[in-house]
Amino acid sequence: MKIFSLILPLAIRNLFRNKRRSFITILAISIGVGSAVLLSSIARGLSKGLAEDAVKTLLGHAQIHSPLYLKDPVAERSFEDLSEQMRDLQNKNIISKWTSRVRVPGVILSERETFGINIVGINPKEEHGLSFIENAIVEGKFFTDIEDSGIIVGKKLLQRLKTQLGKRVVLVTQDYNNKIVDRGFKIVGIFDSGLESTENSYVFIGRKVAQNLLSLNNKISEISFFLPDDYQEDDQIATGVNTVNSYFPDHEVKAWWEIEPLAVALRQVQDGFLIVWFFVVIVSVSFGVINTQLMSVFERAREFGVMMALGTSPRLLLYIVSSEALFLLLIGMFFGNLIGVFGLYSLSSGIDLSGFAAASEHLGFSKLVLPRFVLRDWILCDGILIVLGFIGALYPAWKASRYEPVVAISGREK
Amino acid sequence: MNVVKCENVSKVFYQASETIYALREVSLSIDSSEFVCLSGPSGSGKSTLLNMIGSLDKPTEGNIWLAGHKLNNLNKSEISNLRLNEIGFVFQAYNLIPVLSARENVEFVMHLQGINTLERTKRAMNILSQVGLAGLENRRPAELSGGQQQRVAVARAIVSRPKLVLADEPTANLDSVTAQSLVALMRHMNEQEGITFIFSTHDPVVMSSAKRIIKLKDGEIVSA
């Protein structure tokens, strides 16, 4: 086999012929690949953080609603509590935890300001480990039961309302019978979610208090639930959601990404951005390889002429030169991935974005980003490198194979 | 039997509006086992004629037969095969492959021919020993003197037992002692192996070792 006994040894030795040039080219490929895969991991970490934040904010892995609630989330679309069925699913290990909530749009008024918000009636005992709210209280207290008469508001909303802990605010909304209702609440807690939109959008009251205010009796607006721990990836969650869905044919069971399409759109944009980024980096790197190989081919024109005179076919010459490029790419790819692995390892405790707190809060990103290794991205990046780099490197190889021996040996080849 | 036959071969180069005849209607025949010297001053067409015979270049007019093959009728791949199996080349500037050792350079052609490793190594070691390079097999060209490199080139040219070896001024870069020794080696291979040699030179000492001298001047044969 000429490949192993002739082409590969020649290709490897030719790479070591101009060590500095090969080193610089390999370094360029390594840095390109390393930065691409590391950035992809950081982007995936941001994306994962976004998803986790979305899930932990209030969504859970999925939610159960009355049909049409998501299009028009009013008290009228409430449904009878499904606690018994949910406990049954929990016992069967189909879900791990769940909570029932009342959630309607409304208006909050302070002495000075008025804003539109979402009123969320919660059971404080069930929210533990299911949403962010219990751990986000920075001032005041969390509710003790569903009949707690206070209200918990976000830090940002508190500032906008120009009020403070202990003061009273009024909630205005429509009840189950479409009548306007209102009630005064004392601010008993302030939460800091780290996300401006969440702090501005939600106020929390006791679930029973909400049901009374909205004349719902025991009706609720939504059930948020988590699947067992082995359901983490999107496709696994989708499977779990389908299973739950089969138990509630009269309700809508939707995964978190169906309820929060903006997060999904952001992830799709990110996917597209990553591929574009890979292409930009890899095309730049490929030009480096093409340049190196062209220089190498021009310098060795006489040698190629001699090899052809000795009987080397143009095709074999093409193989020899293109395999040199392939080696450059493979070595660069190896070290690039190594840079990526070291980068991931050194950032394994996370990237602290608290210096950009305002921006991250506004964009909905966590303040701590944990880079996430996604094998598919790395394979994609490596694949693009090898394919584009190799296609690019075929040009110098083709050029070498087209040399006229007599011209090449005389040193007149250009 | 003719190893080489040229019939009215001309090679014309065009430079701007000028037409230069490198070869003008050259006809010759060279038989098997001949040891032929192409002589003549610089620009007489020696190298051009060797390149034509070796199928490295194409004539503008005329026909060339090599080992029974009419070169004009062959495609690139057939020409590569012909060069690989029928012709050995020795160049003025040695032109060894710098990343290969002396043995690997000699093995290169056999490699292309698909000869197995054991046979390749055996033949390469044997031929290197015959050209006086025993013990230097693993040295790279840069670690050999000019004379040693040219011996490796001769070994590479004859190791695959071609019908014809073409040597373009093989002694031009060598001192007179080394040059004579190289020509003696080529003559020995010619007599021992029956390989046809055609070499070009304008060194009278080297010329004197040839069995037949073809003199060229201004692209024409003046005596054969």
Side-chain angles (χ1 to χ4, degrees), chain A residues 65-353:
Chain A
H65 299 103
S66 172
L68 302 177
Y69 172 82
L70 287 173
K71 284 186 180 167
D72 186 18
V74 292
E76 197 185 344
R77 310 240 182 256
S78 303
F79 57 96
E80 290 297 335
D81 198 1
L82 302 168
S83 295
E84 206 173 307
Q85 293 94 318
M86 294 307 285
R87 263 191 293 276
D88 187 37
L89 291 180
Q90 196 174 24
N91 291 337
K92 289 176 178 167
N93 201 31
I94 293 172
I95 62 167
S96 63
K97 49 196 166 193
W98 58 277
T99 186
S100 304
R101 298 189 190 114
V102 171
R103 188 198 305 216
V104 288
V107 172
I108 188 166
L109 298 85
S110 68
E111 308 96 305
R112 296 191 182 92
E113 300 287 348
T114 305
F115 294 106
I117 38 86
N118 287 296
I119 302 163
V120 187
I122 57 171
N123 180 342
K125 290 180 181 118
E126 289 174 358
E127 293 291 337
H128 174 74
L130 207 140
S131 72
F132 74 100
I133 186 66
E134 185 182 5
N135 298 322
I137 305 293
V138 288
E139 273 187 76
K141 65 174 186 71
F142 190 49
F143 301 139
T144 49
D145 59 52
I146 56 173
E147 293 186 349
D148 201 302
S149 60
I151 186 169
I152 296 171
V153 298
K155 204 168 78 176
K156 291 281 177 200
L157 183 63
L158 194 79
Q159 287 167 2
R160 292 170 73 211
L161 286 168
K162 295 174 183 164
T163 184
Q164 56 189 322
L165 189 71
K167 293 266 189 174
R168 290 184 72 82
V169 288
V170 175
L171 294 181
V172 182
T173 184
Q174 280 191 33
D175 71 2
Y176 187 72
N177 304 308
N178 291 324
K179 283 202 296 190
I180 299 292
V181 289
D182 60 78
R183 182 181 156 169
F185 290 85
K186 183 181 173 187
I187 300 171
V188 295
I190 300 165
F191 71 87
D192 180 356
S193 67
L195 299 173
E196 202 175 303
S197 59
T198 305
E199 289 175 19
N200 278 326
S201 306
Y202 297 104
V203 297
F204 297 90
I205 60 176
R207 189 175 73 199
K208 191 68 200 168
V209 176
Q211 285 169 328
N212 290 340
L213 174 67
L214 300 166
S215 307
L216 293 177
N217 297 321
N218 278 328
K219 289 191 179 72
I220 52 167
S221 310
E222 69 184 27
I223 296 173
S224 172
F225 63 89
F226 271 89
L227 295 161
D229 288 343
D230 47 345
Y231 289 78
Q232 291 303 319
E233 299 302 326
D234 289 353
D235 52 343
Q236 295 168 326
I237 292 171
T239 309
V241 169
N242 280 340
T243 309
V244 175
N245 197 18
S246 64
Y247 286 86
F248 302 105
D250 299 330
H251 296 78
E252 268 185 354
V253 184
K254 292 206 178 278
W256 70 266
W257 56 81
E258 294 175 280
I259 302 165
E260 201 69 64
L262 192 63
V264 180
L266 205 60
R267 285 168 74 178
Q268 284 169 344
V269 167
Q270 198 181 56
D271 281 347
F273 165 77
L274 275 182
I275 290 174
V276 170
W277 170 245
F278 286 162
F279 266 95
V280 169
V281 170
I282 301 307
V283 165
S284 314
V285 164
S286 299
F287 276 109
V289 175
I290 294 168
N291 185 45
T292 301
Q293 287 302 97
L294 269 180
M295 283 166 67
S296 171
V297 163
F298 288 142
E299 281 173 9
R300 289 150 62 199
R302 187 188 294 267
E303 187 179 316
F304 292 138
V306 171
M307 286 168 79
M308 290 174 117
L310 296 177
T312 307
S313 65
R315 186 187 292 181
L316 187 61
L317 211 55
L318 186 102
Y319 291 160
I320 290 170
V321 180
S322 53
S323 60
E324 286 172 24
L326 189 63
F327 268 109
L328 273 177
L329 292 165
L330 287 172
I331 296 169
M333 185 185 84
F334 172 77
F335 285 110
N337 285 319
L338 215 57
I339 289 172
V341 169
F342 276 117
L344 266 185
Y345 179 74
S346 58
L347 296 174
S348 57
S349 54
I351 303 165
D352 187 3
L353 294 182

Side-chain angles (χ1 to χ4, degrees), chain A residues 2 5-6 10 13-14 17 302-303 306-314 316 401-402 404-406 409, chain B residues 51 56-57 76 80 83-84 89 91 93 95 97-101 104 108-109 111-112 114 120 140 156:
Chain A
K2 283 181 189 149
S5 60
L6 185 67
L10 261 178
R13 287 189 201 183
N14 279 320
R17 203 159 162 179
R302 187 188 294 267
E303 187 179 316
V306 171
M307 286 168 79
M308 290 174 117
L310 296 177
T312 307
S313 65
L316 187 61
S401 73
R402 306 312 294 171
E404 285 299 329
V406 70
I409 292 169
Chain B
N51 288 338
L56 297 179
D57 204 355
K76 275 196 166 186
S80 279
R83 284 201 291 256
L84 177 62
F89 286 94
F91 302 96
N95 284 340
I97 299 169
V99 293
L100 300 180
S101 68
E104 289 165 335
F108 184 77
V109 175
H111 225 132
L112 298 177
R120 274 200 322 260
R140 293 215 178 161
R156 180 178 67 183

